[in-house]
Amino acid sequence: MKYLVGIDIGGMTIKGGIVTTDNQIVAKSVIDTRTALGEDVICQDICDLIHGLIDMAGIEKNDILSVGVGSPGAIDTNKGLVLIAVNLKFNNVYLAQKIEDLVGIKTVVGNDANCAALGEYILRDTTAKSMAMITIGTGFGFGLVLDNKVYCGETYGGGEMGHSTLVFEGEECSCGEKGCVEAYASFTALHNQIDRFIAQNPQSFLANYPKKVEGKELFELAISGNKEAQILVDRFLVYIGQTVVNIINIFDTGLIIIGGGISKSSDYFLPKIIEYVDKTRFCKISKLPEISVATNGNDVAIVGAANLINHI
Amino acid sequence: MKYLVGIDIGGMTIKGGIVTTDNQIVAKSVIDTRTALGEDVICQDICDLIHGLIDMAGIEKNDILSVGVGSPGAIDTNKGLVLIAVNLKFNNVYLAQKIEDLVGIKTVVGNDANCAALGEYILRDTTAKSMAMITIGTGFGFGLVLDNKVYCGETYGGGEMGHSTLVFEGEECSCGEKGCVEAYASFTALHNQIDRFIAQNPQSFLANYPKKVEGKELFELAISGNKEAQILVDRFLVYIGQTVVNIINIFDTGLIIIGGGISKSSDYFLPKIIEYVDKTRFCKISKLPEISVATNGNDVAIVGAANLINHI
């Protein structure tokens, strides 16, 4: 039996797993990301993690076909090169080669959002050949699979849907520009939308709520029937919905997955988004893509990274 | 010697050419599009056009490797099927099979904007593997080559960059939605922008110009130094520039080509667009794509269509 190794490097932890060729995880583990100690220590930690996983699974090293690594940042997948990953302090790190030299197994590296999207895509029983995953978190994450391959762009700077314009000259975005999708369709943006509502409506229920209303509470209040929360959430969903429309008009993927904290409230939001998208998309003669929520399992990123070698 | 046939179906005329495998046109011709007579007559006309081209070039039919047809509308390239092409009155027409049956040569069909983009891509000496072409005309045209293939989307409804949102809830677009790129970065939009300026500034130079100022005159006035025209043109260029930024942030193509009537004024507008794009794009560590103007030759669409078979 042959296996794949998937590694998901995050700012705080590095998760790893051994995956069968039919995507069952037979061993998984997690270690701290020792960013302060630099890239060589991190690579050695990943090597030790992989050896630990091999022992845990009770398999031989030469049963492993390849190692796939998901890393934050801009990645040159062809060269296995992390061009820049700010929160790992990586700058032009040939990560694939470094890990391959230490572990002695063929290694590839891809962007973490693309690995997560790939994992969701692989673990789903879909006939779609293309898929976009948006993740509504502090920012607006975007991963893209086109014709069964992760899409990175020619110089590995593509897929920045979160920094395409939704509202020209609109709200300031963390990137320094104005009106980006992320400035409207992220939890950071939602919190600004709540703050503005409260400032403009000091007598409102939300302004006088016993604790600060953040995204999670706002969704809970909306689901429980609170009208103020529903107005804010529904407006937020229109921003997400319009972004999904743009993705469909531009890419026409067969599958769209919505992930992040929001996906727990899918009974409330998914029908609203699907209705908005179906009404607003351009090419109504084409089939409405399947739109669903992410499984959001930690394993998704591991499975995606493990399968990366067959999807680049 | 072997040849390819390229056919470009427009609402008014059908252009055809015989192209060598190194993209020299050895014969070309044009006929009227007899839309009122229906699809069968149009297919027979194309068949006759091809036979005329073969005679003109003095070659044998079996020297022709394939026929490629660019058609307006939504095209299922795999099936050679025009799903819908409103201005040809085509509805679910298996165009490739119909022409192939009449002519007896392998035939493929693609979207006309993609064929034009492919022609520009092929005729250019570029190392880029991906390219986006925008055409600023009555509408906002968009053609896309990704990894050497024309991009259509999973259900052939993709590539509608002109109907992605630039200004959420902004100007009404011809598609019935609001704030689309086409409602800001097309000559139709520019004419609205001129009309609005004139209505708001009845004492202005432009309001009192001896004839109606349309896009062409506005660009000429801007180039000749007229400040009012420059304000309007420069604002229009910002809409185009922001759209180019979005294309880069989303696709990261190695090459971006700007076509349409505007390309004649490239000395004026291209440096301005490049400056805006370089300042505004998200991933500044990636290389700025080559941005240039289309050759806009009629032959481009013929060459693109002729080569379609190798790029789908």
Side-chain angles (χ1 to χ4, degrees), chain A residues 84 128-130 151 153-160 163 165-166 168-169 235 242 246 249-252 254 282 286, chain B residues 128-130 146 151 154-160 163 165-166 168-169 235 242 246 249-252 254 282 286:
Chain A
I84 192 160
K129 288 178 291 183
S130 59
Y151 186 79
E154 184 141 347
T155 60
Y156 310 98
E160 291 292 351
H163 297 285
T165 310
L166 183 63
F168 181 68
E169 296 180 341
R235 181 72 179 163
Q242 186 62 49
N246 288 346
N249 290 351
I250 293 170
F251 291 110
D252 178 28
F282 179 71
S286 67
Chain B
K129 287 178 291 182
S130 58
L146 292 183
Y151 186 79
E154 184 142 348
T155 61
Y156 310 98
E160 292 292 350
H163 297 285
T165 310
L166 183 64
F168 181 68
E169 296 179 341
R235 182 70 179 165
Q242 186 61 49
N246 289 346
N249 291 351
I250 293 170
F251 291 110
D252 180 27
F282 179 70
S286 68

Side-chain angles (χ1 to χ4, degrees), chain A residues 14-32:
Chain A
I14 301 171
K15 302 185 185 80
I18 291 184
V19 181
T20 63
T21 49
D22 58 350
N23 297 311
Q24 303 301 310
I25 293 185
V26 293
K28 64 178 174 174
S29 188
V30 58
I31 57 173
D32 288 342

Side-chain angles (χ1 to χ4, degrees), chain A residues 115-137:
Chain A
C115 286
L118 182 61
E120 290 280 352
Y121 176 69
I122 285 171
L123 290 173
R124 203 163 285 244
D125 184 24
T126 180
T127 56
K129 288 178 291 183
S130 59
M131 176 264 245
M133 183 163 95
I134 68 175
T135 305
I136 311 293

Side-chain angles (χ1 to χ4, degrees), chain A residues 36-98:
Chain A
L37 302 184
E39 63 200 54
D40 289 336
V41 171
I42 290 178
C43 288
Q44 186 59 55
D45 285 351
I46 290 172
C47 175
D48 296 345
L49 173 64
I50 293 170
H51 283 125
L53 287 165
I54 290 170
D55 290 346
M56 198 188 296
I59 62 174
E60 299 295 322
K61 193 153 107 177
N62 53 20
D63 292 332
I64 295 176
L65 297 169
S66 65
V67 174
V69 181
S71 165
I75 319 281
D76 179 338
T77 308
N78 284 337
K79 293 183 182 152
L81 168 65
V82 181
L83 296 160
I84 192 160
V86 176
N87 56 353
L88 298 180
K89 297 183 180 153
F90 281 8
N91 205 328
N92 279 313
V93 175
Y94 282 85
L95 192 62
Q97 194 61 55
K98 277 177 170 282

Side-chain angles (χ1 to χ4, degrees), chain B residues 234-292:
Chain B
D234 290 359
R235 182 70 179 165
F236 184 61
L237 296 179
V238 166
Y239 296 134
I240 298 172
Q242 186 61 49
T243 304
V244 172
V245 166
N246 289 346
I247 293 168
I248 292 171
N249 291 351
I250 293 170
F251 291 110
D252 180 27
T253 56
L255 173 63
I256 290 180
I257 292 181
I258 302 173
I262 189 180
S263 45
K264 295 186 190 76
S265 316
S266 64
D267 287 352
Y268 182 80
F269 82 78
L270 202 57
K272 286 176 186 272
I273 286 190
I274 291 173
E275 185 192 351
Y276 183 87
V277 167
D278 199 24
K279 187 181 71 190
T280 312
R281 71 201 175 107
F282 179 70
C283 187
K284 300 235 173 35
I285 62 151
S286 68
K287 194 166 156 270
L288 183 69
E290 183 192 342
I291 303 175
S292 65

Side-chain angles (χ1 to χ4, degrees), chain A residues 6-305:
Chain A
I7 303 288
D8 177 36
I9 310 180
M12 302 299 287
T13 61
I14 301 171
K15 302 185 185 80
I18 291 184
V19 181
T20 63
T21 49
D22 58 350
N23 297 311
Q24 303 301 310
I25 293 185
V26 293
K28 64 178 174 174
S29 188
V30 58
I31 57 173
D32 288 342
T33 312
R34 300 198 285 169
T35 309
L37 302 184
E39 63 200 54
D40 289 336
V41 171
I42 290 178
C43 288
Q44 186 59 55
D45 285 351
I46 290 172
C47 175
D48 296 345
L49 173 64
I50 293 170
H51 283 125
L53 287 165
I54 290 170
D55 290 346
M56 198 188 296
I59 62 174
E60 299 295 322
K61 193 153 107 177
N62 53 20
D63 292 332
I64 295 176
L65 297 169
S66 65
V67 174
V69 181
S71 165
I75 319 281
D76 179 338
T77 308
N78 284 337
K79 293 183 182 152
L81 168 65
V82 181
L83 296 160
I84 192 160
V86 176
N87 56 353
L88 298 180
K89 297 183 180 153
F90 281 8
N91 205 328
N92 279 313
V93 175
Y94 282 85
L95 192 62
Q97 194 61 55
K98 277 177 170 282
I99 294 173
E100 189 167 320
D101 287 348
L102 288 169
V103 183
I105 305 171
K106 169 71 184 166
T107 301
V108 291
V109 177
N111 172 270
D112 55 353
N114 270 339
C115 286
L118 182 61
E120 290 280 352
Y121 176 69
I122 285 171
L123 290 173
R124 203 163 285 244
D125 184 24
T126 180
T127 56
K129 288 178 291 183
S130 59
M131 176 264 245
M133 183 163 95
I134 68 175
T135 305
I136 311 293
T138 312
F140 179 96
F142 189 68
L144 189 61
V145 176
L146 293 183
D147 201 16
N148 220 20
K149 309 276 181 198
V150 293
Y151 186 79
C152 313
E154 184 141 347
T155 60
Y156 310 98
E160 291 292 351
M161 193 73 206
H163 297 285
S164 69
T165 310
L166 183 63
V167 188
F168 181 68
E169 296 180 341
E171 298 283 332
E172 290 203 1
C173 182
S174 61
C175 73
E177 298 303 329
K178 285 183 173 177
C180 298
V181 165
E182 185 162 291
Y184 290 84
S186 65
F187 275 100
T188 306
L190 181 60
H191 295 155
N192 292 337
Q193 291 155 22
I194 297 169
D195 290 349
R196 194 172 309 141
F197 176 88
I198 287 174
Q200 288 167 351
N201 300 279
Q203 304 304 320
S204 63
F205 173 84
L206 292 178
N208 295 286
Y209 198 67
K211 63 174 185 161
K212 185 161 170 54
V213 180
E214 300 214 320
K216 187 165 171 283
E217 289 79 39
L218 192 76
F219 269 84
E220 286 167 0
L221 287 166
I223 290 165
S224 74
N226 179 273
K227 290 277 176 281
E228 289 177 14
Q230 284 177 350
I231 289 168
L232 281 165
V233 166
D234 290 359
R235 181 72 179 163
F236 184 60
L237 295 179
V238 167
Y239 297 135
I240 297 172
Q242 186 62 49
T243 304
V244 172
V245 167
N246 288 346
I247 293 168
I248 292 172
N249 290 351
I250 293 170
F251 291 110
D252 178 28
T253 56
L255 174 62
I256 290 181
I257 293 181
I258 302 172
I262 188 181
S263 45
K264 294 186 191 75
S265 315
S266 64
D267 287 352
Y268 182 80
F269 84 78
L270 202 57
K272 287 176 186 273
I273 285 188
I274 290 173
E275 185 192 351
Y276 182 87
V277 167
D278 198 24
K279 188 181 69 190
T280 312
R281 71 200 175 106
F282 179 71
C283 187
K284 301 234 173 38
I285 63 151
S286 67
K287 195 166 155 268
L288 183 70
E290 183 191 341
I291 303 176
S292 65
V293 293
T295 61
N296 277 320
N298 288 330
D299 298 352
V300 163
I302 292 172
V303 171

